[in-house]
PDB file of all heavy atoms in Angstrom:
ATOM      1  N   ILE A 276      -2.806  -3.729 -21.803  1.00 43.00           N
ATOM      2  CA  ILE A 276      -1.990  -3.690 -20.630  1.00 43.00           C
ATOM      3  C   ILE A 276      -2.629  -2.780 -19.597  1.00 43.00           C
ATOM      4  O   ILE A 276      -2.715  -3.083 -18.437  1.00 43.00           O
ATOM      5  CB  ILE A 276      -0.634  -3.173 -20.973  1.00 43.00           C
ATOM      6  CG1 ILE A 276       0.125  -4.267 -21.818  1.00 43.00           C
ATOM      7  CG2 ILE A 276       0.179  -2.830 -19.697  1.00 43.00           C
ATOM      8  CD1 ILE A 276       1.470  -3.821 -22.346  1.00 43.00           C
ATOM      9  N   MET A 277      -3.248  -1.597 -20.019  1.00 45.00           N
ATOM     10  CA  MET A 277      -3.691  -0.699 -19.023  1.00 45.00           C
ATOM     11  C   MET A 277      -5.083  -1.249 -18.507  1.00 45.00           C
ATOM     12  O   MET A 277      -5.270  -0.996 -17.337  1.00 45.00           O
ATOM     13  CB  MET A 277      -4.024   0.628 -19.839  1.00 45.00           C
ATOM     14  CG  MET A 277      -2.911   1.364 -20.284  1.00 45.00           C
ATOM     15  SD  MET A 277      -1.863   1.938 -18.895  1.00 45.00           S
ATOM     16  CE  MET A 277      -2.912   3.045 -18.064  1.00 45.00           C
ATOM     17  N   CYS A 278      -5.812  -2.062 -19.276  1.00 43.00           N
ATOM     18  CA  CYS A 278      -6.941  -2.616 -18.766  1.00 43.00           C
ATOM     19  C   CYS A 278      -6.813  -3.636 -17.640  1.00 43.00           C
ATOM     20  O   CYS A 278      -7.559  -3.800 -16.736  1.00 43.00           O
ATOM     21  CB  CYS A 278      -7.814  -3.194 -19.883  1.00 43.00           C
ATOM     22  SG  CYS A 278      -8.490  -2.032 -21.024  1.00 43.00           S
ATOM     23  N   PHE A 279      -5.676  -4.457 -17.783  1.00 40.00           N
ATOM     24  CA  PHE A 279      -5.436  -5.493 -16.801  1.00 40.00           C
ATOM     25  C   PHE A 279      -4.389  -5.159 -15.785  1.00 40.00           C
ATOM     26  O   PHE A 279      -4.094  -5.990 -14.922  1.00 40.00           O
ATOM     27  CB  PHE A 279      -4.963  -6.727 -17.552  1.00 40.00           C
ATOM     28  CG  PHE A 279      -6.112  -7.304 -18.412  1.00 40.00           C
ATOM     29  CD1 PHE A 279      -6.259  -7.121 -19.726  1.00 40.00           C
ATOM     30  CD2 PHE A 279      -7.036  -8.131 -17.751  1.00 40.00           C
ATOM     31  CE1 PHE A 279      -7.203  -7.592 -20.461  1.00 40.00           C
ATOM     32  CE2 PHE A 279      -8.101  -8.727 -18.496  1.00 40.00           C
ATOM     33  CZ  PHE A 279      -8.239  -8.415 -19.803  1.00 40.00           C
ATOM     34  N   THR A 280      -3.936  -3.887 -15.703  1.00 39.00           N
ATOM     35  CA  THR A 280      -2.974  -3.454 -14.592  1.00 39.00           C
ATOM     36  C   THR A 280      -3.858  -3.283 -13.368  1.00 39.00           C
ATOM     37  O   THR A 280      -4.871  -2.656 -13.391  1.00 39.00           O
ATOM     38  CB  THR A 280      -2.380  -2.088 -14.970  1.00 39.00           C
ATOM     39  OG1 THR A 280      -1.605  -2.352 -16.217  1.00 39.00           O
ATOM     40  CG2 THR A 280      -1.446  -1.607 -13.893  1.00 39.00           C
ATOM     41  N   PRO A 281      -3.317  -3.756 -12.184  1.00 43.00           N
ATOM     42  CA  PRO A 281      -4.084  -3.690 -10.914  1.00 43.00           C
ATOM     43  C   PRO A 281      -4.252  -2.205 -10.649  1.00 43.00           C
ATOM     44  O   PRO A 281      -3.458  -1.305 -10.987  1.00 43.00           O
ATOM     45  CB  PRO A 281      -3.062  -4.380  -9.878  1.00 43.00           C
ATOM     46  CG  PRO A 281      -2.246  -5.187 -10.714  1.00 43.00           C
ATOM     47  CD  PRO A 281      -2.170  -4.580 -12.032  1.00 43.00           C
ATOM     48  N   ALA A 282      -5.355  -1.863  -9.850  1.00 45.00           N
ATOM     49  CA  ALA A 282      -5.763  -0.551  -9.588  1.00 45.00           C
ATOM     50  C   ALA A 282      -4.691   0.012  -8.480  1.00 45.00           C
ATOM     51  O   ALA A 282      -4.552   1.260  -8.373  1.00 45.00           O
ATOM     52  CB  ALA A 282      -7.098  -0.411  -8.965  1.00 45.00           C
ATOM     53  N   PHE A 283      -3.908  -0.755  -7.797  1.00 53.00           N
ATOM     54  CA  PHE A 283      -3.113  -0.356  -6.658  1.00 53.00           C
ATOM     55  C   PHE A 283      -1.600  -0.107  -7.296  1.00 53.00           C
ATOM     56  O   PHE A 283      -1.194  -0.898  -8.160  1.00 53.00           O
ATOM     57  CB  PHE A 283      -3.123  -1.278  -5.573  1.00 53.00           C
ATOM     58  CG  PHE A 283      -4.405  -1.510  -4.965  1.00 53.00           C
ATOM     59  CD1 PHE A 283      -5.003  -2.761  -5.041  1.00 53.00           C
ATOM     60  CD2 PHE A 283      -5.197  -0.432  -4.527  1.00 53.00           C
ATOM     61  CE1 PHE A 283      -6.371  -2.991  -4.547  1.00 53.00           C
ATOM     62  CE2 PHE A 283      -6.498  -0.734  -4.038  1.00 53.00           C
ATOM     63  CZ  PHE A 283      -7.038  -1.914  -4.012  1.00 53.00           C
ATOM     64  N   ALA A 284      -0.871   0.772  -6.743  1.00 58.00           N
ATOM     65  CA  ALA A 284       0.502   0.967  -7.127  1.00 58.00           C
ATOM     66  C   ALA A 284       1.264  -0.288  -6.855  1.00 58.00           C
ATOM     67  O   ALA A 284       0.926  -1.099  -5.937  1.00 58.00           O
ATOM     68  CB  ALA A 284       1.027   2.156  -6.307  1.00 58.00           C
ATOM     69  N   GLU A 285       2.408  -0.471  -7.622  1.00 78.00           N
ATOM     70  CA  GLU A 285       3.166  -1.693  -7.488  1.00 78.00           C
ATOM     71  C   GLU A 285       3.770  -1.917  -6.075  1.00 78.00           C
ATOM     72  O   GLU A 285       3.982  -2.995  -5.728  1.00 78.00           O
ATOM     73  CB  GLU A 285       4.241  -1.719  -8.514  1.00 78.00           C
ATOM     74  CG  GLU A 285       3.727  -1.804  -9.973  1.00 78.00           C
ATOM     75  CD  GLU A 285       4.853  -1.801 -10.950  1.00 78.00           C
ATOM     76  OE1 GLU A 285       6.069  -1.720 -10.629  1.00 78.00           O
ATOM     77  OE2 GLU A 285       4.609  -1.945 -12.145  1.00 78.00           O
ATOM     78  N   ASP A 286       4.045  -0.787  -5.408  1.00 95.00           N
ATOM     79  CA  ASP A 286       4.719  -0.951  -4.082  1.00 95.00           C
ATOM     80  C   ASP A 286       3.697  -1.013  -2.976  1.00 95.00           C
ATOM     81  O   ASP A 286       4.070  -1.190  -1.832  1.00 95.00           O
ATOM     82  CB  ASP A 286       5.638   0.185  -3.865  1.00 95.00           C
ATOM     83  CG  ASP A 286       5.067   1.603  -4.043  1.00 95.00           C
ATOM     84  OD1 ASP A 286       3.908   1.649  -4.343  1.00 95.00           O
ATOM     85  OD2 ASP A 286       5.805   2.493  -3.804  1.00 95.00           O
ATOM     86  N   ILE A 287       2.450  -0.943  -3.292  1.00 98.00           N
ATOM     87  CA  ILE A 287       1.328  -1.148  -2.273  1.00 98.00           C
ATOM     88  C   ILE A 287       0.351  -2.090  -2.846  1.00 98.00           C
ATOM     89  O   ILE A 287      -0.295  -1.844  -3.845  1.00 98.00           O
ATOM     90  CB  ILE A 287       0.634   0.247  -1.937  1.00 98.00           C
ATOM     91  CG1 ILE A 287       1.598   1.251  -1.320  1.00 98.00           C
ATOM     92  CG2 ILE A 287      -0.496   0.024  -0.900  1.00 98.00           C
ATOM     93  CD1 ILE A 287       0.890   2.588  -0.949  1.00 98.00           C
ATOM     94  N   GLU A 288       0.237  -3.246  -2.231  1.00 98.00           N
ATOM     95  CA  GLU A 288      -0.773  -4.203  -2.563  1.00 98.00           C
ATOM     96  C   GLU A 288      -1.710  -4.376  -1.550  1.00 98.00           C
ATOM     97  O   GLU A 288      -1.492  -4.466  -0.270  1.00 98.00           O
ATOM     98  CB  GLU A 288      -0.093  -5.582  -2.819  1.00 98.00           C
ATOM     99  CG  GLU A 288       0.869  -5.642  -3.955  1.00 98.00           C
ATOM    100  CD  GLU A 288       1.540  -7.024  -4.139  1.00 98.00           C
ATOM    101  OE1 GLU A 288       1.151  -7.880  -3.369  1.00 98.00           O
ATOM    102  OE2 GLU A 288       2.267  -7.130  -5.122  1.00 98.00           O
ATOM    103  N   ILE A 289      -3.077  -4.353  -1.894  1.00 98.00           N
ATOM    104  CA  ILE A 289      -4.107  -4.476  -0.978  1.00 98.00           C
ATOM    105  C   ILE A 289      -5.117  -5.493  -1.286  1.00 98.00           C
ATOM    106  O   ILE A 289      -5.640  -5.549  -2.492  1.00 98.00           O
ATOM    107  CB  ILE A 289      -4.991  -3.089  -0.816  1.00 98.00           C
ATOM    108  CG1 ILE A 289      -3.976  -1.920  -0.433  1.00 98.00           C
ATOM    109  CG2 ILE A 289      -6.026  -3.217   0.158  1.00 98.00           C
ATOM    110  CD1 ILE A 289      -4.669  -0.596  -0.335  1.00 98.00           C
ATOM    111  N   SER A 290      -5.442  -6.465  -0.441  1.00 98.00           N
ATOM    112  CA  SER A 290      -6.355  -7.521  -0.708  1.00 98.00           C
ATOM    113  C   SER A 290      -7.366  -7.450   0.504  1.00 98.00           C
ATOM    114  O   SER A 290      -7.134  -6.963   1.599  1.00 98.00           O
ATOM    115  CB  SER A 290      -5.628  -8.862  -0.759  1.00 98.00           C
ATOM    116  OG  SER A 290      -5.046  -9.154   0.340  1.00 98.00           O
ATOM    117  N   HIS A 291      -8.590  -8.005   0.207  1.00 98.00           N
ATOM    118  CA  HIS A 291      -9.646  -7.854   1.197  1.00 98.00           C
ATOM    119  C   HIS A 291     -10.354  -9.336   1.228  1.00 98.00           C
ATOM    120  O   HIS A 291     -10.789  -9.761   0.156  1.00 98.00           O
ATOM    121  CB  HIS A 291     -10.655  -6.800   0.947  1.00 98.00           C
ATOM    122  CG  HIS A 291     -11.804  -6.731   1.936  1.00 98.00           C
ATOM    123  ND1 HIS A 291     -13.033  -7.139   1.568  1.00 98.00           N
ATOM    124  CD2 HIS A 291     -11.886  -6.395   3.161  1.00 98.00           C
ATOM    125  CE1 HIS A 291     -13.887  -6.991   2.580  1.00 98.00           C
ATOM    126  NE2 HIS A 291     -13.122  -6.580   3.622  1.00 98.00           N
ATOM    127  N   ASN A 292     -10.433  -9.837   2.365  1.00 97.00           N
ATOM    128  CA  ASN A 292     -11.048 -11.118   2.509  1.00 97.00           C
ATOM    129  C   ASN A 292     -11.600 -11.303   3.862  1.00 97.00           C
ATOM    130  O   ASN A 292     -10.963 -11.203   4.866  1.00 97.00           O
ATOM    131  CB  ASN A 292      -9.994 -12.281   2.177  1.00 97.00           C
ATOM    132  CG  ASN A 292     -10.662 -13.652   2.219  1.00 97.00           C
ATOM    133  OD1 ASN A 292     -11.753 -13.887   1.730  1.00 97.00           O
ATOM    134  ND2 ASN A 292      -9.997 -14.514   2.931  1.00 97.00           N
ATOM    135  N   ASP A 293     -12.895 -11.612   3.884  1.00 96.00           N
ATOM    136  CA  ASP A 293     -13.596 -11.932   5.124  1.00 96.00           C
ATOM    137  C   ASP A 293     -13.469 -10.875   6.161  1.00 96.00           C
ATOM    138  O   ASP A 293     -13.144 -11.187   7.377  1.00 96.00           O
ATOM    139  CB  ASP A 293     -13.175 -13.359   5.667  1.00 96.00           C
ATOM    140  CG  ASP A 293     -14.059 -13.878   6.700  1.00 96.00           C
ATOM    141  OD1 ASP A 293     -15.168 -13.509   6.793  1.00 96.00           O
ATOM    142  OD2 ASP A 293     -13.634 -14.760   7.569  1.00 96.00           O
ATOM    143  N   GLY A 294     -13.532  -9.636   5.845  1.00 97.00           N
ATOM    144  CA  GLY A 294     -13.505  -8.536   6.761  1.00 97.00           C
ATOM    145  C   GLY A 294     -12.107  -8.122   7.141  1.00 97.00           C
ATOM    146  O   GLY A 294     -12.061  -7.320   8.133  1.00 97.00           O
ATOM    147  N   ILE A 295     -11.130  -8.589   6.501  1.00 98.00           N
ATOM    148  CA  ILE A 295      -9.759  -8.240   6.829  1.00 98.00           C
ATOM    149  C   ILE A 295      -9.024  -7.658   5.602  1.00 98.00           C
ATOM    150  O   ILE A 295      -9.008  -8.313   4.587  1.00 98.00           O
ATOM    151  CB  ILE A 295      -8.952  -9.425   7.394  1.00 98.00           C
ATOM    152  CG1 ILE A 295      -9.597 -10.018   8.660  1.00 98.00           C
ATOM    153  CG2 ILE A 295      -7.438  -9.006   7.647  1.00 98.00           C
ATOM    154  CD1 ILE A 295      -9.005 -11.330   9.114  1.00 98.00           C
ATOM    155  N   TYR A 296      -8.493  -6.461   5.767  1.00 98.00           N
ATOM    156  CA  TYR A 296      -7.688  -5.856   4.668  1.00 98.00           C
ATOM    157  C   TYR A 296      -6.264  -6.215   4.938  1.00 98.00           C
ATOM    158  O   TYR A 296      -5.771  -6.009   6.107  1.00 98.00           O
ATOM    159  CB  TYR A 296      -7.840  -4.328   4.611  1.00 98.00           C
ATOM    160  CG  TYR A 296      -9.180  -3.902   4.095  1.00 98.00           C
ATOM    161  CD1 TYR A 296     -10.329  -3.642   4.884  1.00 98.00           C
ATOM    162  CD2 TYR A 296      -9.278  -3.718   2.717  1.00 98.00           C
ATOM    163  CE1 TYR A 296     -11.487  -3.257   4.342  1.00 98.00           C
ATOM    164  CE2 TYR A 296     -10.460  -3.190   2.174  1.00 98.00           C
ATOM    165  CZ  TYR A 296     -11.589  -3.077   2.950  1.00 98.00           C
ATOM    166  OH  TYR A 296     -12.834  -2.551   2.432  1.00 98.00           O
ATOM    167  N   HIS A 297      -5.574  -6.735   3.926  1.00 98.00           N
ATOM    168  CA  HIS A 297      -4.118  -7.092   4.025  1.00 98.00           C
ATOM    169  C   HIS A 297      -3.437  -6.204   3.107  1.00 98.00           C
ATOM    170  O   HIS A 297      -3.547  -6.312   1.872  1.00 98.00           O
ATOM    171  CB  HIS A 297      -3.995  -8.618   3.750  1.00 98.00           C
ATOM    172  CG  HIS A 297      -2.590  -9.082   3.904  1.00 98.00           C
ATOM    173  ND1 HIS A 297      -2.195 -10.315   3.552  1.00 98.00           N
ATOM    174  CD2 HIS A 297      -1.456  -8.463   4.352  1.00 98.00           C
ATOM    175  CE1 HIS A 297      -0.822 -10.515   3.810  1.00 98.00           C
ATOM    176  NE2 HIS A 297      -0.441  -9.343   4.261  1.00 98.00           N
ATOM    177  N   ILE A 298      -2.572  -5.330   3.705  1.00 98.00           N
ATOM    178  CA  ILE A 298      -1.757  -4.341   2.933  1.00 98.00           C
ATOM    179  C   ILE A 298      -0.280  -4.748   2.977  1.00 98.00           C
ATOM    180  O   ILE A 298       0.228  -5.035   3.945  1.00 98.00           O
ATOM    181  CB  ILE A 298      -1.977  -2.964   3.497  1.00 98.00           C
ATOM    182  CG1 ILE A 298      -3.450  -2.580   3.536  1.00 98.00           C
ATOM    183  CG2 ILE A 298      -1.246  -1.906   2.618  1.00 98.00           C
ATOM    184  CD1 ILE A 298      -3.668  -1.387   4.488  1.00 98.00           C
ATOM    185  N   VAL A 299       0.353  -4.774   1.808  1.00 98.00           N
ATOM    186  CA  VAL A 299       1.738  -5.135   1.797  1.00 98.00           C
ATOM    187  C   VAL A 299       2.433  -3.916   1.087  1.00 98.00           C
ATOM    188  O   VAL A 299       2.176  -3.535  -0.039  1.00 98.00           O
ATOM    189  CB  VAL A 299       1.989  -6.460   0.863  1.00 98.00           C
ATOM    190  CG1 VAL A 299       3.563  -6.738   1.009  1.00 98.00           C
ATOM    191  CG2 VAL A 299       1.164  -7.566   1.453  1.00 98.00           C
ATOM    192  N   LEU A 300       3.317  -3.350   1.899  1.00 98.00           N
ATOM    193  CA  LEU A 300       4.394  -2.319   1.304  1.00 98.00           C
ATOM    194  C   LEU A 300       5.610  -3.036   0.862  1.00 98.00           C
ATOM    195  O   LEU A 300       6.329  -3.664   1.645  1.00 98.00           O
ATOM    196  CB  LEU A 300       4.613  -1.273   2.392  1.00 98.00           C
ATOM    197  CG  LEU A 300       3.444  -0.601   3.081  1.00 98.00           C
ATOM    198  CD1 LEU A 300       3.840   0.364   4.093  1.00 98.00           C
ATOM    199  CD2 LEU A 300       2.346  -0.120   2.181  1.00 98.00           C
ATOM    200  N   LYS A 301       5.928  -2.976  -0.390  1.00 96.00           N
ATOM    201  CA  LYS A 301       7.004  -3.802  -0.933  1.00 96.00           C
ATOM    202  C   LYS A 301       8.074  -2.934  -1.503  1.00 96.00           C
ATOM    203  O   LYS A 301       7.930  -1.857  -2.041  1.00 96.00           O
ATOM    204  CB  LYS A 301       6.509  -4.639  -2.084  1.00 96.00           C
ATOM    205  CG  LYS A 301       5.316  -5.596  -1.636  1.00 96.00           C
ATOM    206  CD  LYS A 301       4.890  -6.521  -2.828  1.00 96.00           C
ATOM    207  CE  LYS A 301       5.793  -7.554  -3.177  1.00 96.00           C
ATOM    208  NZ  LYS A 301       5.274  -8.506  -4.193  1.00 96.00           N
ATOM    209  N   GLY A 302       9.381  -3.399  -1.344  1.00 94.00           N
ATOM    210  CA  GLY A 302      10.494  -2.754  -1.901  1.00 94.00           C
ATOM    211  C   GLY A 302      11.193  -1.822  -1.090  1.00 94.00           C
ATOM    212  O   GLY A 302      10.757  -1.482   0.009  1.00 94.00           O
ATOM    213  N   GLU A 303      12.345  -1.329  -1.603  1.00 94.00           N
ATOM    214  CA  GLU A 303      13.112  -0.417  -0.880  1.00 94.00           C
ATOM    215  C   GLU A 303      12.613   0.985  -0.932  1.00 94.00           C
ATOM    216  O   GLU A 303      12.729   1.698   0.183  1.00 94.00           O
ATOM    217  CB  GLU A 303      14.606  -0.538  -1.455  1.00 94.00           C
ATOM    218  CG  GLU A 303      15.692   0.301  -0.699  1.00 94.00           C
ATOM    219  CD  GLU A 303      16.007  -0.289   0.606  1.00 94.00           C
ATOM    220  OE1 GLU A 303      15.841  -1.492   0.790  1.00 94.00           O
ATOM    221  OE2 GLU A 303      16.475   0.453   1.500  1.00 94.00           O
ATOM    222  N   LYS A 304      12.181   1.455  -1.951  1.00 96.00           N
ATOM    223  CA  LYS A 304      11.867   2.881  -2.214  1.00 96.00           C
ATOM    224  C   LYS A 304      10.749   3.354  -1.317  1.00 96.00           C
ATOM    225  O   LYS A 304      10.765   4.502  -0.816  1.00 96.00           O
ATOM    226  CB  LYS A 304      11.499   3.179  -3.669  1.00 96.00           C
ATOM    227  CG  LYS A 304      12.700   3.006  -4.606  1.00 96.00           C
ATOM    228  CD  LYS A 304      12.205   3.297  -6.038  1.00 96.00           C
ATOM    229  CE  LYS A 304      13.310   3.182  -7.005  1.00 96.00           C
ATOM    230  NZ  LYS A 304      12.924   3.548  -8.397  1.00 96.00           N
ATOM    231  N   ILE A 305       9.828   2.464  -0.978  1.00 98.00           N
ATOM    232  CA  ILE A 305       8.589   2.852  -0.127  1.00 98.00           C
ATOM    233  C   ILE A 305       8.973   3.172   1.174  1.00 98.00           C
ATOM    234  O   ILE A 305       8.306   3.896   1.958  1.00 98.00           O
ATOM    235  CB  ILE A 305       7.549   1.870  -0.304  1.00 98.00           C
ATOM    236  CG1 ILE A 305       6.161   2.578   0.050  1.00 98.00           C
ATOM    237  CG2 ILE A 305       7.754   0.651   0.602  1.00 98.00           C
ATOM    238  CD1 ILE A 305       4.918   1.709  -0.258  1.00 98.00           C
ATOM    239  N   LYS A 306      10.137   2.567   1.750  1.00 98.00           N
ATOM    240  CA  LYS A 306      10.528   2.818   3.092  1.00 98.00           C
ATOM    241  C   LYS A 306      10.784   4.369   3.316  1.00 98.00           C
ATOM    242  O   LYS A 306      10.570   4.823   4.408  1.00 98.00           O
ATOM    243  CB  LYS A 306      11.830   2.053   3.388  1.00 98.00           C
ATOM    244  CG  LYS A 306      11.660   0.599   3.379  1.00 98.00           C
ATOM    245  CD  LYS A 306      13.021  -0.110   3.525  1.00 98.00           C
ATOM    246  CE  LYS A 306      12.894  -1.640   3.341  1.00 98.00           C
ATOM    247  NZ  LYS A 306      14.219  -2.295   3.397  1.00 98.00           N
ATOM    248  N   LYS A 307      11.275   5.109   2.311  1.00 97.00           N
ATOM    249  CA  LYS A 307      11.495   6.509   2.404  1.00 97.00           C
ATOM    250  C   LYS A 307      10.213   7.321   2.336  1.00 97.00           C
ATOM    251  O   LYS A 307      10.251   8.543   2.567  1.00 97.00           O
ATOM    252  CB  LYS A 307      12.417   6.916   1.303  1.00 97.00           C
ATOM    253  CG  LYS A 307      13.778   6.201   1.331  1.00 97.00           C
ATOM    254  CD  LYS A 307      14.556   6.686   0.182  1.00 97.00           C
ATOM    255  CE  LYS A 307      15.934   5.872   0.010  1.00 97.00           C
ATOM    256  NZ  LYS A 307      16.751   6.275  -1.144  1.00 97.00           N
ATOM    257  N   LYS A 308       9.111   6.720   1.969  1.00 98.00           N
ATOM    258  CA  LYS A 308       7.836   7.419   1.864  1.00 98.00           C
ATOM    259  C   LYS A 308       6.906   7.166   3.015  1.00 98.00           C
ATOM    260  O   LYS A 308       5.639   7.624   2.966  1.00 98.00           O
ATOM    261  CB  LYS A 308       7.119   6.859   0.597  1.00 98.00           C
ATOM    262  CG  LYS A 308       7.958   7.105  -0.679  1.00 98.00           C
ATOM    263  CD  LYS A 308       7.288   6.601  -1.886  1.00 98.00           C
ATOM    264  CE  LYS A 308       8.196   6.742  -3.163  1.00 98.00           C
ATOM    265  NZ  LYS A 308       7.628   6.057  -4.311  1.00 98.00           N
ATOM    266  N   ILE A 309       7.403   6.571   4.117  1.00 98.00           N
ATOM    267  CA  ILE A 309       6.559   6.347   5.326  1.00 98.00           C
ATOM    268  C   ILE A 309       6.869   7.466   6.327  1.00 98.00           C
ATOM    269  O   ILE A 309       8.037   7.769   6.588  1.00 98.00           O
ATOM    270  CB  ILE A 309       6.884   5.060   5.924  1.00 98.00           C
ATOM    271  CG1 ILE A 309       6.464   3.928   4.964  1.00 98.00           C
ATOM    272  CG2 ILE A 309       6.203   4.878   7.291  1.00 98.00           C
ATOM    273  CD1 ILE A 309       6.885   2.515   5.392  1.00 98.00           C
ATOM    274  N   LYS A 310       5.881   7.958   6.963  1.00 98.00           N
ATOM    275  CA  LYS A 310       6.026   8.958   7.977  1.00 98.00           C
ATOM    276  C   LYS A 310       4.947   8.794   9.110  1.00 98.00           C
ATOM    277  O   LYS A 310       3.760   8.726   8.818  1.00 98.00           O
ATOM    278  CB  LYS A 310       5.994  10.418   7.424  1.00 98.00           C
ATOM    279  CG  LYS A 310       6.136  11.503   8.548  1.00 98.00           C
ATOM    280  CD  LYS A 310       5.986  12.850   7.986  1.00 98.00           C
ATOM    281  CE  LYS A 310       7.242  13.281   7.147  1.00 98.00           C
ATOM    282  NZ  LYS A 310       7.179  14.733   6.789  1.00 98.00           N
ATOM    283  N   PHE A 311       5.389   8.640  10.365  1.00 99.00           N
ATOM    284  CA  PHE A 311       4.414   8.731  11.508  1.00 99.00           C
ATOM    285  C   PHE A 311       4.338  10.175  11.991  1.00 99.00           C
ATOM    286  O   PHE A 311       5.315  10.945  12.185  1.00 99.00           O
ATOM    287  CB  PHE A 311       4.995   7.843  12.526  1.00 99.00           C
ATOM    288  CG  PHE A 311       4.868   6.326  12.298  1.00 99.00           C
ATOM    289  CD1 PHE A 311       6.032   5.643  11.792  1.00 99.00           C
ATOM    290  CD2 PHE A 311       3.663   5.632  12.392  1.00 99.00           C
ATOM    291  CE1 PHE A 311       5.900   4.320  11.436  1.00 99.00           C
ATOM    292  CE2 PHE A 311       3.574   4.282  12.080  1.00 99.00           C
ATOM    293  CZ  PHE A 311       4.773   3.668  11.617  1.00 99.00           C
ATOM    294  N   VAL A 312       3.149  10.563  12.227  1.00 98.00           N
ATOM    295  CA  VAL A 312       2.925  11.961  12.687  1.00 98.00           C
ATOM    296  C   VAL A 312       1.951  11.992  13.893  1.00 98.00           C
ATOM    297  O   VAL A 312       1.206  11.110  14.099  1.00 98.00           O
ATOM    298  CB  VAL A 312       2.267  12.850  11.580  1.00 98.00           C
ATOM    299  CG1 VAL A 312       3.200  12.952  10.428  1.00 98.00           C
ATOM    300  CG2 VAL A 312       0.909  12.289  11.099  1.00 98.00           C
ATOM    301  N   SER A 313       1.953  13.076  14.636  1.00 98.00           N
ATOM    302  CA  SER A 313       1.078  13.254  15.814  1.00 98.00           C
ATOM    303  C   SER A 313       0.323  14.535  15.666  1.00 98.00           C
ATOM    304  O   SER A 313       0.996  15.594  15.301  1.00 98.00           O
ATOM    305  CB  SER A 313       1.930  13.229  17.155  1.00 98.00           C
ATOM    306  OG  SER A 313       1.074  13.441  18.177  1.00 98.00           O
ATOM    307  N   SER A 314      -0.920  14.514  15.825  1.00 97.00           N
ATOM    308  CA  SER A 314      -1.668  15.697  15.677  1.00 97.00           C
ATOM    309  C   SER A 314      -1.869  16.459  17.021  1.00 97.00           C
ATOM    310  O   SER A 314      -1.890  15.895  18.113  1.00 97.00           O
ATOM    311  CB  SER A 314      -3.145  15.345  15.249  1.00 97.00           C
ATOM    312  OG  SER A 314      -3.933  16.517  15.192  1.00 97.00           O
ATOM    313  N   ASP A 315      -1.872  17.736  16.913  1.00 95.00           N
ATOM    314  CA  ASP A 315      -2.060  18.602  18.171  1.00 95.00           C
ATOM    315  C   ASP A 315      -3.494  18.214  18.792  1.00 95.00           C
ATOM    316  O   ASP A 315      -3.547  18.114  20.023  1.00 95.00           O
ATOM    317  CB  ASP A 315      -1.958  20.077  17.823  1.00 95.00           C
ATOM    318  CG  ASP A 315      -0.493  20.496  17.430  1.00 95.00           C
ATOM    319  OD1 ASP A 315       0.399  19.786  17.894  1.00 95.00           O
ATOM    320  OD2 ASP A 315      -0.387  21.481  16.715  1.00 95.00           O
ATOM    321  N   ASP A 316      -4.377  18.212  17.932  1.00 95.00           N
ATOM    322  CA  ASP A 316      -5.756  17.797  18.357  1.00 95.00           C
ATOM    323  C   ASP A 316      -6.132  16.522  17.861  1.00 95.00           C
ATOM    324  O   ASP A 316      -5.512  15.914  16.896  1.00 95.00           O
ATOM    325  CB  ASP A 316      -6.799  18.869  17.889  1.00 95.00           C
ATOM    326  CG  ASP A 316      -6.482  20.246  18.332  1.00 95.00           C
ATOM    327  OD1 ASP A 316      -6.176  20.468  19.563  1.00 95.00           O
ATOM    328  OD2 ASP A 316      -6.399  21.259  17.480  1.00 95.00           O
TER     329      ASP A 316
END
């Protein structure tokens, strides 16, 4: 099971094809883990 488990967390899926990364944030819980920030510099 450990050997065949994807490297990415279940709520973040990342695929890469022809120079495009497609990231999917799935489920309810991950909505609480998103934060936009602005840097002073």
Side-chain angles (χ1 to χ4, degrees):
I276 290 173
M277 292 300 293
C278 288
F279 290 98
T280 298
F283 304 117
E285 291 181 1
D286 54 358
I287 301 180
E288 295 181 357
I289 303 178
S290 59
H291 178 251
N292 181 47
D293 194 22
I295 300 174
Y296 285 89
H297 183 185
I298 306 163
V299 185
L300 309 183
K301 303 179 71 173
E303 186 70 24
K304 292 182 180 179
I305 200 165
K306 296 174 185 177
K307 302 176 184 179
K308 301 175 183 178
I309 295 171
K310 179 182 285 191
F311 289 98
V312 297
S313 178
S314 174
D315 292 334
D316 301 313

